[in-house]
């Protein structure tokens, strides 16, 4: 992992250096950097007087330490003591006039005094230096004008080619998005004409999954990868072993290679065989032994290995063994790992459709495979919709909220080994939505949107898909909680089939439906044999009032292994806006809809993460899925209205 980029802030001010006034510009600039560039680490902050040489010395010191970004504040005006630009020019090797131009031109939009700035920006070694005004407001404003280009500038300066490629891809998408396409055909401001009931039939979750798999037939390419780059990818070929593993009979112990028929008793040490030595072709004679290390080839004529612990030294010379005694009679084949016993030559070791894990990579290396053919994952784009949404690093105004859905979905995809393109926050406006969809579908096979798919006045996703892209909406409602308005559509775009998931705007709804619908599809498209999540059966029964909601509910749960049983515990409040219920959850417990008191229901838990051993606190409530597939459970707590019961007949 690359270290965090560093930023140094230099305040140039006689009065601040003399401590006659506080360094408010440096303080506010640090806050602005932390907000706008959260990946950057503030490495140093210093104050120097308006002295050309002292400024040069401090800049050179930080450049020598390979600080990525230096921001100076102060000393850029017309005063005789304003010498920061001259000091900066003495340090930099190349100027960056575009950065300076952006700050001045944007400042002139605010005040004509912006023309009096003499700021200089440029590159010294691996460092970008930017001069900012000395006032608190001016420093923060000018920094805000150029902050978006700083990470890309640093990537270019430091030859971070991966980051440069990613940035270029984003820039390419942004240009395409701005230039866009024709205005949307969706007519707005006709709220009185909108349907009062959804025109889409309600599908069960299983029906929805089946329909997704049936209609999603995008072609997926294959690529040849070095095995060290193939972790978490899916094989597109059966893999055969080129060699026997091990390629010779090898010792599994440190000890002595002997002839078993010689029995116990004394043995003369002929020589030693270490791991990596060529096999000894001189046949072992009666009464002889070869001292041998773990992994060393078995000498010709030997057919057993006696471990060191079962021997005694009889004769030695200058610390070397001359003769030993075998204290326990060996048997034929004892502690020998036979040629091909792990893997035989030309046998199939892995099948097409297997997802490669660390152990797979180790086996591939062992059998001499340096490359494998894998399926390329489908390309995915993500954006979120909502006029009320702001980025997580922005300050909020009344009525606004931060966008948590998009980052949650992007990182949920990463957890399951899928990268995606981030198209940001899209306004609830048909023209903008159309351009965003067109942009995403130009570069991706699958588009995931969140928000804008319900019955609200500003929910335009379905209408834009239908009216502007002639999409087929395969379903627009699913009988589930959370996630009822989940939408799945396909369309032809630029000669290729595209897949669109319109996920709900509630944070938990978006993540749960991504787990139930999107992740399985991506696995299926990638050719994985086991694309479904594992399921554990269980039984629940109500013990309080009836549950009137007819929708089955997917309760976020922590599934653990406790005292020989699988235990599931609800992870806090389950409302669809409470994203915290997914933190730590590794299971989705399915509760039937419209549950009746005292009635028992057979259901299941979907395992979405690793199960770990843990302790249940005294008085805690849980569901227990017993070993061997049975269920033996305790109460679930008064707030739930249901509990798990024992059922030993589930297999």
């Amino acid at each position: 992992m690359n270290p965090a980029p560093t930023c140094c802030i230099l305040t140039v001010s006689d009065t601040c250096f003399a401590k006659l006034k506080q360094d408010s510009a440096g303080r506010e600039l640090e806050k602005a950097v932390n907000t706008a560039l959260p990946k950057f680490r503030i490495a140093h902050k210093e104050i120097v007087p308006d002295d050309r040489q002292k400024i040069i010395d401090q800049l050179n010191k930080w450049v020598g330490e390979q600080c990525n970004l230096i921001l100076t504040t102060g000393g850029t005006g017309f005063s005789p003591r304003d010498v920061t630009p001259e000091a900066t020019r003495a340090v930099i090797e190349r100027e960056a006039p575009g950065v300076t131009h952006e700050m001045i031109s944007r400042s002139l939009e605010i005040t004509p005094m912006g023309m009096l700035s003499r700021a200089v920006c440029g590159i010294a070694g691996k460092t970008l230096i930017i001069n900012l005004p000395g006032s608190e407001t001016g420093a923060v404003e000018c920094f805000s004008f150029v902050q978006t280009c700083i990470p890309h500038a640093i990537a270019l300066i430091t030859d971070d080619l991966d980051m440069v490629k990613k940035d270029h891809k984003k820039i390419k998408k942004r240009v395409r998005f701005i230039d866009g396409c024709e205005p949307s055909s969706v007519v707005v401001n006709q709220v009185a004409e909108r349907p009062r009931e959804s025109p889409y039939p309600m599908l069960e979750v299983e029906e929805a999954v089946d329909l997704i798999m049936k209609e999603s037939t995008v072609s997926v390419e294959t690529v040849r990868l070095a095995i060290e780059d193939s972790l978490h990818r899916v094989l597109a070929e059966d893999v055969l072993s080129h060699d026997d593993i091990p390629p010779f009979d090898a010792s599994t112990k440190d000890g002595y290679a002997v002839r078993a028929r010689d029995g116990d008793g004394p043995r003369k040490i002929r020589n030693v065989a270490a791991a990596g030595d060529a096999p000894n072709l001189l046949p072992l004679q009666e009464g002889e032994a070869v001292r041998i290390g773990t992994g060393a080839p078995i000498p010709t004529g030997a057919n057993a290995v006696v471990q060191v612990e079962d021997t005694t030294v009889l004769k030695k010379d200058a610390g070397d063994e001359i003769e030993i005694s075998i204290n326990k009679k060996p048997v034929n084949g004892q502690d020998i790992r036979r040629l091909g016993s792990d893997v035989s030559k030309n046998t199939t070791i892995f099948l097409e459709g297997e997802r490669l894990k660390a152990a797979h990579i180790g086996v591939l290396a062992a059998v001499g495979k340096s490359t494998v053919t894998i399926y390329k994952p489908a390309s995915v784009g993500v954006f979120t919709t909502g006029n009320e949404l702001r980025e997580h690093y922005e300050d909020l105004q009344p009525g606004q909220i931060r966008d948590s859905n998009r980052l949650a979905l992007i990182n949920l995809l990463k957890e399951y080994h899928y990268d995606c393109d981030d198209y940001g926050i899209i306004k609830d406006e048909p023209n903008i939505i159309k351009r965003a969809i067109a942009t995403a579908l130009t570069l991706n096979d699958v588009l995931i949107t969140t928000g804008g798919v319900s019955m609200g006045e500003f929910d335009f996703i379905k209408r834009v898909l239908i009216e502007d892209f002639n999409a087929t909406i395969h379903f627009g409602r699913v009988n589930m909680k959370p996630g009822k308005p989940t939408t799945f559509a396909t369309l032809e775009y630029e000669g290729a089939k595209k897949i669109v998931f319109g996920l709900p705007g509630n944070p938990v709804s978006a993540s749960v439906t991504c787990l139930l619908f999107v992740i399985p599809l991506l696995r299926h498209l990638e050719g994985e044999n086991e694309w479904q999540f594992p399921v554990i059966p269980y039984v629940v029964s109500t013990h309080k009032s009836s549950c009137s909601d007819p929708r089955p509910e997917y309760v976020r749960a922590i599934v653990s292994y406790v005292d020989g049983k699988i235990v599931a515990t609800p992870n806090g409040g389950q409302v669809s806006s409470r994203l915290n219920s997914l933190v730590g959850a590794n299971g989705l417990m399915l509760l039937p809809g419209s549950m009746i008191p005292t009635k028992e229901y057979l259901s299941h838990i979907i395992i979405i993460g690793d199960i770990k051993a843990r302790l249940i606190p005294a008085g805690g409530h849980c569901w227990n899925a017993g070993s061997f597939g049975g269920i033996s459970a305790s109460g679930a707590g008064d707030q739930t209205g249901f509990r798990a019961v024992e059922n030993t007949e589930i297999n």
Side-chain angles (χ1 to χ4, degrees):
M1 180 180 293
N2 293 330
T6 54
C7 174
C8 296
I9 298 175
L10 181 63
T11 299
V12 182
S13 168
D14 288 333
T15 53
C16 289
F17 182 76
K19 299 184 179 179
L20 299 177
K21 76 171 186 176
Q22 291 186 339
D23 177 22
S24 59
R27 183 188 64 239
E28 294 304 312
L29 194 54
E30 180 181 8
K31 291 180 182 178
V33 171
N34 288 333
T35 300
L37 304 173
K39 293 183 179 180
F40 279 65
R41 176 176 62 86
I42 304 296
H44 301 287
K45 291 193 304 176
E46 294 290 344
I47 303 174
V48 296
D50 290 290
D51 181 285
R52 184 175 183 272
Q53 191 57 50
K54 285 184 170 57
I55 299 170
I56 291 173
D57 291 344
Q58 189 61 64
L59 292 178
N60 278 329
K61 181 176 183 294
W62 286 343
V63 169
E65 295 172 359
Q66 294 194 337
C67 174
N68 299 116
L69 173 66
I70 298 176
L71 301 176
T72 72
T73 172
T76 61
F78 279 28
S79 167
R81 294 283 292 172
D82 289 336
V83 292
T84 302
E86 286 71 27
T88 301
R89 280 200 176 91
V91 173
I92 62 175
E93 300 154 3
R94 294 177 291 163
E95 283 202 40
V99 179
T100 307
H101 174 77
E102 177 69 5
M103 291 192 296
I104 294 176
S105 61
R106 294 286 295 277
S107 296
L108 287 170
E109 295 175 3
I110 301 172
T111 171
M113 297 300 177
M115 70 180 70
L116 302 182
S117 173
R118 298 190 307 112
V120 169
C121 302
I123 302 163
K126 299 291 185 180
T127 304
L128 174 64
I129 303 175
I130 299 177
N131 291 167
L132 300 169
S135 71
E136 173 186 324
T137 301
V140 173
E141 277 184 348
C142 286
F143 172 72
S144 72
F145 299 151
V146 299
Q147 65 188 32
T148 56
C149 284
I150 288 175
H152 187 64
I154 300 301
L156 290 168
I157 293 171
T158 58
D159 283 332
D160 187 346
L161 298 181
D162 288 340
M163 183 59 70
V164 171
K165 289 178 182 178
K166 290 179 181 178
D167 289 342
H168 282 168
K169 190 173 183 181
K170 291 178 182 177
I171 293 168
K172 187 176 180 180
K173 288 187 296 187
R174 190 178 299 119
V175 171
R176 177 66 183 254
F177 180 84
I178 292 172
D179 292 342
C181 44
E182 295 297 321
S184 171
S185 300
V186 174
V187 178
V188 297
N189 299 324
Q190 292 186 330
V191 64
E193 305 300 324
R194 63 175 171 169
R196 281 342 198 208
E197 293 183 3
S198 174
Y200 301 101
M202 185 84 78
L203 267 62
E204 299 300 325
V205 170
E206 294 79 7
E207 294 178 300
V209 171
D210 289 344
L211 193 53
I212 290 170
M213 299 304 163
K214 176 184 175 183
E215 296 295 337
S216 300
T217 56
V218 299
S219 60
V220 179
E221 299 177 7
T222 62
V223 64
R224 196 79 180 168
L225 286 184
I227 61 171
E228 52 266 37
D229 298 326
S230 61
L231 184 65
H232 301 312
R233 297 280 59 94
V234 176
L235 280 173
E237 62 175 342
D238 292 345
V239 178
L240 302 181
S241 170
H242 291 321
D243 304 305
D244 290 310
I245 304 295
F248 49 79
D249 290 349
S251 174
T252 64
K253 296 282 184 67
D254 291 326
Y256 303 87
V258 299
R259 303 191 320 174
R261 64 177 176 272
D262 291 345
D264 55 8
R267 296 286 196 283
K268 291 183 179 180
I269 303 302
R270 191 173 77 181
N271 56 9
V272 61
D277 289 348
N280 193 321
L281 301 180
L282 182 63
L284 198 64
Q285 301 300 312
E286 182 179 356
E288 288 184 333
V290 172
R291 194 165 70 247
I292 195 167
T294 302
I298 301 297
T300 302
N303 59 4
V305 172
V306 178
Q307 63 182 358
V308 174
E309 294 88 336
D310 292 334
T311 66
T312 303
V313 176
L314 297 179
K315 294 180 182 180
K316 57 185 177 181
D317 181 19
D320 199 9
E321 297 174 352
I322 303 300
E323 187 176 351
I324 63 166
S325 174
I326 304 296
N327 300 330
K328 186 176 180 181
K329 184 178 179 179
V331 297
N332 192 354
Q334 174 178 307
D335 290 330
I336 293 178
R337 184 167 161 242
R338 293 297 184 187
L339 178 147
S341 57
D342 291 349
V343 179
S344 298
K345 185 176 181 178
N346 294 326
T347 59
T348 301
I349 54 174
F350 301 133
L351 296 174
E352 178 185 0
E354 287 190 58
R355 187 173 295 277
L356 298 176
K357 298 183 179 179
H360 291 84
I361 308 301
V363 173
L364 290 168
V367 300
K369 291 284 289 186
S370 58
T371 62
V372 287
T373 302
I374 60 99
Y375 289 109
K376 290 181 66 176
S379 54
V380 182
V382 176
F383 68 72
T384 188
T385 63
N387 295 334
E388 76 281 15
L389 298 178
R390 294 296 180 270
E391 295 289 0
H392 59 281
Y393 49 79
E394 293 184 304
D395 294 331
L396 299 181
Q397 301 299 320
Q400 297 177 346
I401 61 174
R402 294 186 177 92
D403 177 19
S404 61
N405 286 14
R406 196 174 89 260
L407 285 181
L409 289 173
I410 289 170
N411 286 281
L412 183 61
L413 291 168
K414 286 182 181 178
E415 281 188 27
Y416 293 95
H417 318 304
Y418 295 104
D419 292 325
C420 63
D421 292 334
D422 177 8
Y423 293 91
I425 300 170
I426 305 302
K427 295 291 185 182
D428 288 317
E429 201 279 312
N431 291 332
I432 299 176
I433 292 172
K434 179 182 178 181
R435 290 199 299 272
I437 292 175
T439 301
L441 294 184
T442 298
L443 297 172
N444 296 285
D445 303 310
V446 179
L447 170 62
I448 304 170
T449 72
T450 170
V453 292
S454 192
M455 300 285 289
E457 179 179 351
F458 302 103
D459 292 332
F460 294 117
I461 293 292
K462 292 191 187 78
R463 291 185 60 189
V464 170
L465 285 171
I466 294 170
E467 297 180 36
D468 293 320
F469 294 92
N470 196 29
T472 299
I473 306 293
H474 297 285
F475 61 79
R477 291 193 304 162
V478 184
N479 187 28
M480 62 182 298
K481 177 183 178 182
K484 178 181 175 181
T486 301
T487 297
F488 167 66
T490 59
L491 58 106
E492 292 288 330
Y493 188 74
E494 295 186 345
K497 188 168 186 178
K498 305 291 183 178
I499 298 166
V500 180
F501 286 97
L503 305 185
N506 277 324
V508 175
S509 301
S511 290
V512 168
T513 52
C514 183
L515 285 164
L516 292 177
F517 302 126
V518 180
I519 300 299
L521 174 65
L522 294 178
R523 289 173 166 177
H524 179 69
L525 291 177
E526 200 180 359
E528 185 173 5
N529 294 330
E530 299 179 1
W531 51 265
Q532 305 97 328
F533 285 108
V535 171
I536 298 175
Y538 80 108
V539 171
V540 294
S541 70
T542 54
H543 63 91
K544 285 184 63 178
S545 59
S546 299
C547 173
S548 59
D549 196 323
R551 292 178 294 162
E553 180 175 5
Y554 288 87
V555 174
R556 282 72 68 198
I558 299 173
V559 184
S560 309
Y561 188 74
V562 181
D563 296 333
K565 298 174 181 177
I566 298 295
V567 174
T569 308
N571 196 24
Q574 297 290 312
V575 294
S576 59
S577 60
R578 189 178 184 275
L579 190 57
N580 202 42
S581 66
L582 274 164
V583 176
N586 58 349
L588 298 174
M589 296 194 303
L590 178 60
L591 302 183
S594 303
M595 296 178 71
I596 301 171
T598 72
K599 186 175 180 180
E600 295 181 359
Y601 300 87
L602 174 63
S603 195
H604 59 264
I605 305 169
I606 301 172
I607 305 300
I608 59 174
D610 295 333
I611 298 177
K612 299 179 180 180
R614 71 183 178 98
L615 297 176
I616 297 294
H621 298 293
C622 59
W623 290 259
N624 295 350
S627 55
F628 308 109
I631 306 299
S632 55
S634 58
D638 290 340
Q639 81 271 19
T640 62
F642 57 90
R643 65 182 179 86
V645 300
E646 184 172 358
N647 187 320
T648 58
E649 297 180 356
I650 299 174
N651 294 308

